[in-house]
Amino acid sequence: MKWESNGELAHRDLSELVNRLLDVESSNNSNELSRLGTKYNDKK
């Protein structure tokens, strides 16, 4: 994983992490991860 100078995870690594978590989390957690991922993508 690569961290940006602002302390955030690099966008590609964050997307990969969220996708991996979506594969193993319950549907409630998956929905929240999807929402957070979308919120992050909207900021970019």
Side-chain angles (χ1 to χ4, degrees):
M1 287 189 202
K2 179 182 175 192
W3 295 94
E4 301 292 344
S5 60
N6 63 3
E8 292 187 9
L9 196 55
H11 180 68
R12 181 177 178 188
D13 289 337
L14 178 61
S15 295
E16 185 176 326
L17 176 60
V18 169
N19 287 332
R20 287 182 183 199
L21 289 171
L22 286 171
D23 289 340
V24 298
E25 288 294 333
S26 69
S27 62
N28 286 341
N29 291 344
S30 293
N31 291 339
E32 182 65 9
L33 286 166
S34 294
R35 186 186 70 78
L36 291 171
T38 301
K39 184 177 179 181
Y40 178 82
N41 287 334
D42 289 345
K43 293 172 93 175
K44 293 289 177 180

